[in-house]
Amino acid sequence: MSAEKYSSYDVLNAFFDDGSFNETDAYLKSEGGEAEAVTGFGTVDGVSVYAFAQNVDVCGGAMSKAQAKKITKLYNAALKTGAPVVGFYHSVGGRLEQKYELLSAYGDILRKSAKLSGVVPQISVVLGDCVGTSALIAASADYIIMEKGANLSVDTTAQNASAEENLKNGVASFVCEGYTSCVDKAKELLGYFPANNLEPAPAFETVPAYAEPDKLPKYFADENSLLCVGGGYGEPVCTAFGRVNGWPVGIIVTKGGTISADSAKKMSKHVRFCDAFSLPVITIVDAEQFESISDASKLVSVYAEATAPKIAIISGTAVGAVYITLAGATSGADLVYALPEAVVSPIAPKAAAFILDDSIADAPVADQEALAKDFVKTNLSAVKAAEDGYVDDIVEAQALRDKLTAALDMLSSKRVSTLPKKHTTKL
């Protein structure tokens, strides 16, 4: 943990807009003195937010029934008012002398957090030790930000609990150095989200796209608006937030080859979050297969169930199950675009060429590679897919921003009625 010294009030005052922090339950006592966390509300960039910060200077920030009472009361207020919740964690654990009351207190917080999930955004910021059951509470948030020296683990011995380990395993979304950097990252992340699931995401001033794009999202995203989430987990797939003409969107980029099991999980989480808060999902498709049938089937379910605006851009090769899941009828994509060089094929393109054109196998071996490429270019091209109705339009990368701006404007009024049910059975 960093040697940097700060109090829970320092953290909350740095997080909220100047002068906007209002403490709640300031006089609530725990055994032997003050409660071990500070709770309150205020504004972040003008938007109402609830937050709490564990106070390591009071009994090590240990969870207690008093602290749980303050936090659950905060969650109840967030549920009623529809405001995001951010928790700052730094604790030695729980006050074990409270025994069963402590277990009940943990359960109350976890239940309230589960009720809030999908209603308001939740962010956990881990600034120090957060182990045992407290780690479950932190991990119940939508996104976790960890200070470089912090620890997060259900294992009370803090094995494999470092920030880097949690980033690599997909538990943490960001690792920052110093509490102020963590606070700034939480504020930045909140800027992409609506306050709750019934409100639109905040619109920002329109700025031009990146002047020198080196990756496809930079052709259409507002400059300096891309924020990758998920760290190195599930690479090479990238999940990100961005803005197009000022409006927040979720972005998923597949980068060729196989979509691994971790990548599919990463994609599922991103789509589910975006869908919960009606953020449009833009999926850039370039992959040939899935590594895991189990995780692929979950991803199918997630895309099919999502009712937020969905746009697919086939940038490279979209093969079989990948096309069906991310861009085809199963995905429920509202619009499917393809770059001119894109390929859409039911199986691996080279294999399709040999199966569908017997003359290639009969040709001299030295000519087969070129003949297969010609077949793919003629019969599995973006143009052919568009002619057959499986792609809505073929768009040059430079024209994507205008195309997506118009599409997102049109889809902003999208409404979908779904069958009454509790939830999908896929997890």
Side-chain angles (χ1 to χ4, degrees), residues 72-229:
T72 53
K73 188 173 179 180
L74 196 79
Y75 282 178
N76 282 330
L79 193 61
K80 287 187 285 188
T81 60
V85 176
V86 178
F88 295 91
Y89 292 83
H90 189 175
S91 169
V92 296
R95 301 193 66 154
L96 300 181
E97 69 273 14
Q98 294 183 358
K99 299 178 183 176
Y100 302 115
E101 289 178 306
L102 177 62
L103 295 179
S104 178
Y106 276 128
D108 286 342
I109 297 176
L110 285 166
R111 187 175 69 253
K112 293 295 182 183
S113 179
K115 288 187 71 173
L116 276 174
S117 181
V119 177
V120 301
Q122 298 180 71
I123 298 173
S124 291
V125 184
V126 183
L127 297 176
D129 288 334
C130 183
V131 297
T133 308
S134 291
L136 284 179
I137 299 171
S140 66
D142 299 304
Y143 293 97
I144 298 174
I145 300 165
M146 293 186 69
E147 204 279 332
K148 190 175 181 180
N151 291 302
L152 176 68
S153 175
V154 177
D155 182 353
T156 54
T157 63
Q159 292 294 312
N160 301 317
S162 70
E164 290 300 328
E165 192 74 23
N166 278 286
L167 187 69
K168 184 176 72 174
N169 293 335
V171 176
S173 299
F174 305 96
V175 173
C176 305
E177 189 160 2
Y179 88 90
T180 54
S181 294
C182 291
V183 166
D184 289 343
K185 185 61 70 175
K187 293 166 72 171
E188 181 184 8
L189 192 56
L190 280 173
Y192 292 92
F193 308 155
N196 55 65
N197 64 332
L198 299 179
E199 293 187 16
F204 280 66
E205 182 181 352
T206 299
V207 297
Y210 288 77
E212 296 182 3
D214 58 341
K215 297 176 182 178
L216 192 56
K218 290 188 176 182
Y219 279 94
F220 58 80
D222 296 356
E223 191 167 17
N224 298 322
S225 74
L226 292 172
L227 178 64
C228 292
V229 292

Side-chain angles (χ1 to χ4, degrees), residues 384-397:
K384 184 61 178 174
E387 289 175 350
D388 291 341
Y390 296 103
V391 167
D392 291 301
D393 201 358
I394 300 169
V395 185
E396 295 282 353

Side-chain angles (χ1 to χ4, degrees), residues 301-382:
S301 179
V302 167
Y303 265 92
E305 197 172 49
T307 60
K310 291 174 286 187
I311 299 173
I313 302 169
I314 303 175
S315 63
T317 303
V319 175
V322 171
Y323 168 81
I324 293 168
T325 302
L326 306 182
T330 303
S331 74
D334 298 292
L335 289 165
V336 180
Y337 299 126
L339 299 188
E341 62 272 21
V343 172
V344 180
S345 177
I347 60 173
K350 186 175 179 179
F354 275 85
I355 292 170
L356 297 174
D357 188 344
D358 295 335
S359 66
I360 297 177
D362 296 332
V365 174
D367 298 334
Q368 289 179 1
E369 187 74 23
L371 289 171
K373 287 182 179 180
D374 286 342
F375 179 90
V376 170
K377 187 175 181 180
T378 303
N379 296 280
L380 303 176
S381 66

